Amino acid sequence: AVMNFLKNNGTDTDMLIFGMSFDYYRGNTPSHKKKLSVEKNLILPVKHIAEHFFYLYETNYLSSACNKVIRASVIRENAILFNEEMAILEDFKFVLDILGKSNEIIAIKDVFYRYYNDMDESSLKRRPMIDYKHNFSILDIKLKEFALFANLTDEFSVGRINGIIIRYYLLAIEKVFGSTSRPQNKYKELHKYVYDAQVKEAIDNAVCTGKRLQVIHWLMKKRLTLLLYLAFSLNEVISTLRRY
C-alpha cells in the first residue's frame, strides 16, 4: 500500500510518513490502545514545514523512524547516520537531519505501523546506564538548529521548541528520582539540572501546557530546588503505587 501511494503521488518526495497504532501490555495482559495519525494527507515543501511542525510532532510523525519511507539518496549523499552517543530519541534527531536535507515530504493518514509495548519490559529498563543529560543535550542543540532552518523563530515557536526540550529534561530528572540513589544524591542531581546553563536556557524560554507541567516549569524558573525535590519525590511515590 505504501509503495502504491508513492508510485501514484510521491515521485518528488524525499520522505513519506504514515500513522502508527500502539498496543500496550503488562506482560501478556492488554492494557490500552492508541492511534496517532494526521486528519488528512499533507504534501509539504520542507521550506513550508513551520506551519505544520508542531502538529506533526504531536501526532508522532517526526519522532520515530519506524513510520517512514525515506529516499535513499538523501541519506547516502549527505552521509546521515544515527548518533551512536544517543540511546533514546536518536530517531528524532535522525529525522530532523533528514528533513534538513529534503525538499518535500508527504504525511498520510493511513496507519501502516503497529507497535507492541510491554510496559513492564521497556527498552529503557534494559538499558539503565543511559546518560540522559548528555543524550537530551544533543537533541536540544539539534532542535534549535532545525528551528532556525525551518524559520521557527517567532516568539511563540521558540517557546514551544523549548517546551519540547523541557519535557525531555524533566524525563531525565524523573529517571534520577526513579533510581535507587540516596536522597541527598537525588537532590544534588536535581540542583545540577536546575542550574545547568543549557537546561536553564530552555527553562527561561519555554512555553509549557498542562497544569502539572506549568507548575514544575514555574518552580524551575524560580530555582526552587527544595520544592522541586518534594514534587518529584511525590511523583515517584504516585508512579510506584500505580504500578501495583
Side-chain angles (χ1 to χ4, degrees):
V2 173
M3 298 311 297
N4 286 335
F5 188 95
L6 280 171
K7 288 178 182 178
N8 296 326
N9 304 277
T11 54
D12 295 324
T13 196
D14 294 308
M15 183 189 297
L16 173 71
I17 316 172
F18 43 87
M20 300 177 71
S21 65
F22 300 82
D23 290 358
Y24 293 91
Y25 289 79
R26 288 196 180 279
N28 295 320
T29 305
S31 174
H32 61 283
K33 296 183 178 183
K34 180 172 65 174
K35 184 179 80 172
L36 290 174
S37 65
V38 292
E39 293 181 359
K40 63 180 182 179
N41 297 345
L42 298 170
I43 300 177
L44 298 173
V46 173
K47 63 181 180 181
H48 294 154
I49 198 173
E51 59 185 296
H52 298 283
F53 178 81
F54 296 110
Y55 173 63
L56 292 173
Y57 171 77
E58 294 295 340
T59 49
N60 203 53
Y61 272 60
L62 298 180
S63 53
S64 175
C66 300
N67 62 334
K68 293 169 178 64
V69 177
I70 301 167
R71 189 182 294 276
S73 60
V74 174
I75 298 174
R76 286 197 301 263
E77 292 172 8
N78 296 287
I80 299 173
L81 302 171
F82 286 94
N83 189 312
E84 294 184 356
E85 295 182 45
M86 299 178 71
I88 179 176
L89 287 168
E90 66 276 20
D91 283 22
F92 193 9
K93 182 184 181 300
F94 178 78
V95 171
L96 293 175
D97 287 337
I98 296 290
L99 286 173
K101 299 298 182 180
S102 298
N103 294 312
E104 180 186 275
I105 64 169
I106 296 178
I108 62 175
K109 61 184 179 181
D110 302 81
V111 174
F112 291 127
Y113 189 89
R114 191 170 186 178
Y115 184 85
Y116 292 87
N117 188 331
D118 185 344
M119 295 184 292
D120 292 331
E121 290 293 336
S122 73
S123 61
L124 294 184
K125 290 181 180 179
R126 295 192 297 269
R127 295 179 291 173
M129 300 305 292
I130 297 173
D131 184 344
Y132 287 96
K133 172 61 177 66
H134 179 60
N135 193 111
F136 293 141
S137 68
I138 295 172
L139 185 58
D140 181 341
I141 294 168
K142 183 62 197 181
L143 262 170
K144 289 174 181 173
E145 175 188 297
F146 183 80
L148 290 174
F149 165 80
N151 293 317
L152 291 160
T153 53
D154 60 281
E155 184 177 354
F156 178 72
S157 294
V158 169
R160 290 198 67 181
I161 290 290
N162 282 283
I164 291 172
I165 293 167
I166 281 295
R167 278 188 274 177
Y168 294 137
Y169 284 134
L170 290 179
L171 172 61
I173 295 171
E174 287 175 353
K175 294 299 179 183
V176 171
F177 278 78
S179 71
T180 56
S181 181
R182 299 171 66 184
Q184 55 266 44
N185 291 335
K186 292 180 181 181
Y187 184 87
K188 289 179 181 178
E189 284 298 310
L190 175 61
H191 189 275
K192 287 180 182 177
Y193 272 96
V194 172
Y195 286 92
D196 177 89
Q198 196 173 2
V199 179
K200 184 176 180 295
E201 180 184 351
I203 292 170
D204 292 343
N205 292 287
V207 171
C208 298
T209 58
K211 290 183 179 179
R212 176 183 174 275
L213 184 56
Q214 287 175 337
V215 169
I216 295 296
H217 179 223
W218 183 83
L219 291 173
M220 294 185 83
K221 286 186 75 171
K222 298 297 182 181
R223 315 292 185 247
L224 298 174
T225 314
L226 179 57
L227 289 177
L228 280 167
Y229 175 84
L230 295 174
F232 280 106
S233 297
L234 178 60
N235 179 70
E236 180 56 28
V237 170
I238 293 172
S239 297
T240 301
L241 292 174
R242 284 176 178 171
R243 288 195 291 267
Y244 296 96

